[in-house]
Each structure stands twice: as C-alpha cells, then as structure tokens.
Amino acid sequence: MAAACAPLAGDLRSQLLASVDALLFDCDGVLWRGESAIPGAAQLVNRLQECGKLVFFLTNNSTKSRELYVEKLQRLGFRAHCQQIYATAPCAALYLRREIQLCGSVYVIGGAALRGELQAQGIVCSGPGPEVTPGTLQVWATEPLDLTVAAVLVGFDEQFTYLKLCRASRYLRDPACFFLATNTDTLLPLEGGGIPGTGCLVKSVEAASKRTAYVIGKPNDFMFKCIVNEHGIDPSRTVMIGDRLDTDILMGSNCGLRTILTLTGVSTLEEVKAHQESDSPERHKLVPTYYVNSVADLLPGLE
Amino acid sequence: MAAACAPLAGDLRSQLLASVDALLFDCDGVLWRGESAIPGAAQLVNRLQECGKLVFFLTNNSTKSRELYVEKLQRLGFRAHCQQIYATAPCAALYLRREIQLCGSVYVIGGAALRGELQAQGIVCSGPGPEVTPGTLQVWATEPLDLTVAAVLVGFDEQFTYLKLCRASRYLRDPACFFLATNTDTLLPLEGGGIPGTGCLVKSVEAASKRTAYVIGKPNDFMFKCIVNEHGIDPSRTVMIGDRLDTDILMGSNCGLRTILTLTGVSTLEEVKAHQESDSPERHKLVPTYYVNSVADLLPGLE
C-alpha cells in the first residue's frame, strides 16, 4: 500500500514546518514559471529563512551557473546566496573533482555555464574542436582525439551536432573514460509546449557508446549528498518540495525524506493516483507525502 | 531448443541452393567491406543469376539511392539493376506513398539520397528551414511550423542538430503525424571503429516525442514484403544471407526464411552460441540456420 499523499492544510502545515530544519526547493514550476515568480513563493522562502530554517535550491537545469541562479532568485524577490544553490552544472564539476578526482580533461557537450563551473573547479574542458571538420565521414571516424580526455559530460546543448555525438562516442570507447550526464529530463518546459531536454542528447550518446551515463541530477541522490556534506542537515528533519514526481519526489523518496508535491508545475494528482494504485513498489516511490496547490499555501503554517 | 546453425559445407551447399529460387543479400560486411569486394562474392552473385536464381540486395543504409547502389555494385563487379535494390531510402518512400498514402509533406532528418527517393515518389520534403534560426530557445519553441507536414522521417544525417531534433519533436506532438525511421543501427561501420548510426538519432527523437518510430529497415519485415509484392517470391524457397544477427538473421526469422550468417562482417559464432544457449525464445530467433566463412564458400554448390 502506497503513502496517502495528504493535502497539506490546516494545522498539519505548522506541525510539518515545526518538524523540519531544512527545506529543499526545486525551482522551475515551484518558485517560478519562466520569468514570473509564483505568487507568494518569495514571501514563503524569505519568511522561512527569517524563522531560522535552512533553504536550498535544487535544479536539474545545467545552463546556469550558481551566480546566474542567485541573480534570477534575487530579481524575482527571493533572498538567496551562492551556497544555497545546487544546480547540475556546479555539482557535475564537484563530482569530477571530489568524487572521482579526475586526472585529465573533459569532453563537454553543453553550454558556457557548464564549462564555466568546470573551470571554476580547475577542470580543463577539451575542444570542442572545430565544429565542422572538413572531409568525409571517414575523416570524422579517424580524426585525432584529445589524449588528455578522461571523461565525457553531457548537459543541455542547443548547439548539439552529429559531430559532437561522434566525438563523444569515440572517447567513450575507452572503458576508463568516465561518462556523466547532468540530468535526463527529456523536456525543457517553455511557452509553446517546451523543447527537447538534456535527456534526449544523453539517449543518443548512450546508444552510440552502448554505455549508461552516471546522472548528477534528480532523481539521483548526488546533489542531496552534497548538501548533507556541506551543511550537515539531518534527513529526518528535511523536506523536499517539487513539481515533478519522476525527479523531485523520487529523489526525496530515494533519500528517505518527506516530500511535498506542488501543483503549479508538471505533475498532477491524477498521476499521483495512478502511482498509488499501482502494484509496483517502484511506482510507490513516486507518491509524495503531501501536496499543496502552491508553495504559498505553506505560509500560514509559519504564523 | 534453438536451431543448430550448421556449417554450410559439402553437399549441403548444392542441396540448399537447389531448394531456393531467391537469395536476399545484405551488402556491407557480406558482399563488400568499404570499397573492397569480398573475394569471390561477385562471382557467386553473377553465377547465381546465370543459373536463373533471383538475387536481391537489402540494406539498412539510408544514404544511397537505388542508382548509387547499382553503380557501386557494378563498380565492384556485381551484375545488378535497380529492381533488385531494397534500401531503406526508397522503401521509406514506398511506405509513405503506398502503405499509408500520405497526404501532406514530410519533415526529413536525413541526407540528399533520402530526399531524392521521396521526391521520386512524388512526396514533398518540408524545410529543413533555416538551420540557425536567430533568437533564443523561446523562439525555437514557438517558431511557426509547416502546416503541411504529416510525417517525420529519421534517417542517417551527418548534419543532425539540436534544432532539427526540436522541430521533429514539435511536429510529433500531433498524434496524427506519422513517425518513421529508416533503421535503428547504432553503429555505421567504418575504418577506425565506426561512427554513430541512424539509431542514435532515432533514440533522441523518440525520447523528445515520447513516441516510438515505425522502422522500415531490418529486422522489420517491410523490405521483404515489398520484394514479395513486386516479384512474387515464395518464402519457403528463399534464403536470407547477412553478417548481423540482430538485423539480417532476425529479419529472416521474422519472415519465416532460412538464413545464412557469413563471418566476414559484424557478428561472430560466439554470439550465435550465446543465443543458442539462452532460454529466451526471442533470442533463438537470432540463431541462423547455417553459417559460412564467406559467401564465396557457396560457389562450389553451383557446380
């Protein structure tokens, strides 16, 4: 039997908030949509911090540095500083430097922010090399590779090309070459229905290399582990708040946290119900502990 | 218990050849490797035709038209004409025109040969449109689509970009838009270990659209059905000869044909053994009826 996914209302709000020291917020669909803050979200986040709660921002988006996130949060009225930001670009850099202590450079499929975060950790980015190598496919199949490359990292890359796919797959033929992805979301939500997410690029590199990437982002627990290491938070006194069952809520479940689904983003209560009614224990992990219509609904719990 | 995969030697060769009217050959790894014919392959193919056998060439490669295949076969010494060529580019065009009688144009990820074969069947190719639309991701998410597009076709495309992925996925949001792939091979064999095949691009479009492409190429039976329709061959008197278990041999099994694995290409007898010893009936379909070291080994069976 899966958890109940209770509406977080009435006294339950203050009880829950009293029982947590740390709140982990997904950003897009939870605190804002595009360039508009969710009404009341900034008041909640600021009030939580005034009450002494630890607040962290967790995002799978790999196109922004910590600094750019702080800038956006502040622009939308949220009190925030760099140490609260856990995004896949800086966390990928941390993983390469601290966890696997990479010796060598990284072949990056991704944008300027991802490269910047790697460089900030002292990691050298290879290439990308000339984007159009003259000659035939046979030239692409045999062009010299950068012998210093010891990892391939795939993030969001609007300049993704077949040639980058080709190069990544050739580096990954060496089983000693690490294979990392920032995240596996297949949709980047935007007005107009969104565009393909990083996960679509990861799929093509996985197919070409017949390997599976280690994924930094949610639902994996790496970003949460970073927060525990750096801030010493207690999982039993932490709650994860997100709009996606398959990333935010699943990460919370994977890390043993209580979870809150907010209905201002991607997932719906109908999806929750389908997971609850399923016989699969794996799907039960996608059921949040609580839900709210908007994170602003938590505000009265602080009064 | 899986089939035996007998060596095709001695009298078995002439018995087998006497029992077939039609022979279906995969090309790369069977008749040639790159620009070099497999020694003896052209003599076999030419002698078979002199003996009154029907010979057909089946390839998953979508980068060549029928004419280019005839040219290559003749250059390497094979007697061949257009009606014997079953490649995924012309067969995709046939599928769109005859099977689904497409009303509308096709958004093509693929090269000039694929477009040429579509146009030869009177099918209009949309776009591809400007390869770099100025502006932001938000522009790409909302740029006007070609309202005549009724199908997306993915073939090999060395000019594959994120923008093409984005456009394909936006067309495929309409459930009435057909989704076709020429083939799903993830490796294009070339000197130097090969480069990513069409299957890697298909994976990314499938992930972005949350849909599964209908696949024209082997192991699907569409090319075989075309040959049956156009030439009236009898499956019980037909043999499929190829170098790949997961495409050539599986297609033969799917179509109820006897099959011959030739060891001049991708698959090995070790792989055959692993499939034979598996408990999975699905894997037994990958076990060929016979094997030869090279198609040239069939020649004495004609004497």
Side-chain angles (χ1 to χ4, degrees):
Chain A
M1 182 59 188
C5 186
L8 190 55
D11 291 345
L12 200 51
R13 293 175 291 194
S14 48
Q15 288 164 21
L16 174 83
L17 291 174
S19 76
V20 301
D21 302 325
L23 298 98
L24 317 183
F25 286 93
D26 176 44
C27 299
D28 199 19
V30 176
L31 303 179
W32 63 65
R33 274 189 300 228
E35 280 303 311
S36 311
I38 300 285
Q43 290 94 308
L44 173 74
V45 164
N46 299 346
R47 191 85 191 86
L48 283 166
Q49 295 180 78
E50 285 158 22
C51 296
K53 305 291 184 190
L54 295 173
V55 167
F56 299 98
F57 306 99
L58 278 76
T59 169
N60 272 358
N61 189 313
S62 67
T63 65
K64 286 196 182 73
S65 63
R66 290 189 173 207
E67 287 70 21
L68 283 170
Y69 265 107
V70 168
E71 210 175 88
K72 177 162 186 177
L73 281 159
Q74 292 180 347
R75 191 169 66 239
L76 296 180
F78 296 87
R79 209 180 105 185
H81 55 82
C82 263
Q83 285 69 40
Q84 292 172 291
I85 311 291
Y86 287 83
T88 52
C91 287
L94 274 185
Y95 183 84
L96 289 167
R97 191 173 61 80
R98 281 201 213 151
E99 293 288 311
I100 63 179
Q101 293 167 7
L102 189 77
C103 293
S105 67
V106 182
Y107 183 75
V108 180
I109 292 177
L114 188 53
R115 288 167 189 279
E117 292 283 359
L118 292 171
Q119 285 154 1
Q121 293 289 343
I123 295 167
V124 175
C125 298
S126 168
E131 271 328 291
V132 179
T133 303
T136 60
L137 291 180
Q138 185 60 64
V139 170
W140 290 5
T142 52
E143 62 166 10
L145 294 174
D146 177 348
L147 297 176
T148 69
V149 167
V152 168
L153 169 60
V154 182
F156 182 76
D157 189 347
E158 68 211 60
Q159 306 297 330
F160 183 72
T161 60
Y162 178 79
L163 183 54
K164 290 184 182 180
L165 171 62
C166 192
R167 285 175 178 158
S169 71
R170 291 184 64 218
Y171 284 118
L172 289 169
R173 262 184 225 153
D174 176 359
C177 183
F178 287 96
F179 181 16
L180 241 68
T182 56
N183 63 304
T184 52
D185 304 64
T186 54
L187 183 78
L188 192 67
L190 281 181
E191 262 177 69
I195 56 178
T198 309
C200 304
L201 313 184
V202 175
K203 283 281 182 201
S204 66
V205 180
E206 288 188 336
S209 62
K210 299 192 199 305
R211 291 179 57 176
T212 304
Y214 175 84
V215 181
I216 296 295
K218 299 168 282 183
N220 272 15
D221 61 3
F222 182 70
M223 294 202 292
F224 178 69
K225 280 185 181 165
C226 290
I227 302 177
V228 172
N229 280 340
E230 292 167 16
H231 302 275
I233 62 171
D234 173 357
S236 74
R237 296 191 56 83
T238 301
V239 66
M240 171 73 207
I241 302 151
D243 71 316
R244 292 186 64 144
L245 300 176
D246 58 348
T247 52
D248 304 318
I249 302 306
L250 182 54
M251 188 207 80
S253 300
N254 285 340
C255 299
L257 311 179
R258 284 167 290 172
T259 55
I260 305 172
L261 174 71
T262 174
L263 298 174
T264 48
V266 171
S267 297
T268 64
L269 285 182
E270 286 68 43
E271 288 166 56
V272 172
K273 195 155 173 260
H275 292 308
Q276 279 179 309
E277 290 171 355
S278 153
D279 290 333
S280 153
E282 286 307 305
R283 289 185 65 184
H284 293 175
K285 289 187 186 171
L286 299 165
V287 177
T289 324
Y290 307 105
Y291 77 89
V292 289
N293 289 315
S294 155
V295 289
D297 295 355
L298 289 168
L299 257 177
L302 283 170
E303 278 154 19
Chain B
M1 182 60 189
C5 185
L8 190 55
D11 290 347
L12 200 51
R13 293 175 291 194
S14 49
Q15 289 165 20
L16 174 83
L17 290 174
S19 76
V20 302
D21 302 325
L23 297 97
L24 317 184
F25 286 94
D26 175 44
C27 299
D28 198 19
V30 176
L31 304 178
W32 63 65
R33 274 189 298 227
E35 279 304 311
S36 312
I38 301 285
Q43 291 94 307
L44 173 75
V45 164
N46 298 347
R47 191 86 189 84
L48 283 167
Q49 295 181 80
E50 285 159 22
C51 296
K53 304 293 186 191
L54 296 173
V55 167
F56 299 97
F57 306 98
L58 278 77
T59 169
N60 272 0
N61 189 313
S62 67
T63 65
K64 287 196 182 73
S65 63
R66 289 189 172 206
E67 288 70 23
L68 283 171
Y69 264 107
V70 168
E71 212 174 87
K72 176 162 186 177
L73 282 158
Q74 291 180 346
R75 192 168 67 239
L76 296 179
F78 297 86
R79 211 180 104 184
H81 55 81
C82 263
Q83 285 69 39
Q84 292 172 291
I85 312 293
Y86 287 82
T88 51
C91 288
L94 275 184
Y95 183 84
L96 289 167
R97 192 174 61 80
R98 281 201 214 150
E99 293 289 311
I100 63 178
Q101 295 166 4
L102 188 77
C103 293
S105 66
V106 181
Y107 183 74
V108 181
I109 292 177
L114 187 53
R115 288 168 188 279
E117 291 283 358
L118 292 171
Q119 284 154 1
Q121 293 289 342
I123 295 167
V124 175
C125 297
S126 168
E131 271 328 291
V132 179
T133 304
T136 60
L137 291 180
Q138 185 60 63
V139 170
W140 290 5
T142 52
E143 61 167 10
L145 294 174
D146 176 349
L147 297 176
T148 69
V149 167
V152 168
L153 169 59
V154 182
F156 183 75
D157 189 348
E158 69 211 59
Q159 306 297 331
F160 184 72
T161 59
Y162 178 79
L163 183 54
K164 289 184 182 180
L165 170 62
C166 191
R167 285 174 177 158
S169 70
R170 292 184 63 218
Y171 284 118
L172 289 169
R173 261 184 226 156
D174 176 359
C177 183
F178 288 96
F179 182 17
L180 242 68
T182 57
N183 63 304
T184 51
D185 304 63
T186 53
L187 183 78
L188 193 67
L190 281 181
E191 263 176 69
I195 55 178
T198 309
C200 305
L201 313 184
V202 175
K203 282 282 181 199
S204 67
V205 181
E206 287 187 337
S209 62
K210 298 193 200 303
R211 291 179 57 175
T212 304
Y214 176 84
V215 181
I216 296 294
K218 300 168 282 184
N220 272 15
D221 62 3
F222 181 70
M223 296 204 289
F224 178 69
K225 279 185 183 165
C226 289
I227 303 176
V228 171
N229 279 342
E230 291 167 16
H231 302 276
I233 62 170
D234 174 356
S236 75
R237 295 190 57 83
T238 300
V239 66
M240 172 73 207
I241 302 150
D243 71 315
R244 291 185 65 141
L245 300 176
D246 58 347
T247 52
D248 304 318
I249 302 304
L250 182 55
M251 187 207 80
S253 300
N254 285 341
C255 298
L257 311 179
R258 284 167 290 172
T259 54
I260 304 173
L261 174 71
T262 174
L263 298 175
T264 48
V266 170
S267 298
T268 64
L269 285 183
E270 285 69 43
E271 288 166 57
V272 171
K273 194 155 174 262
H275 292 308
Q276 278 179 311
E277 290 172 355
S278 152
D279 289 332
S280 153
E282 286 307 304
R283 288 185 65 184
H284 293 174
K285 288 187 186 172
L286 298 166
V287 177
T289 325
Y290 307 105
Y291 76 90
V292 290
N293 289 314
S294 154
V295 290
D297 296 354
L298 289 169
L299 257 176
L302 282 171
E303 277 154 18

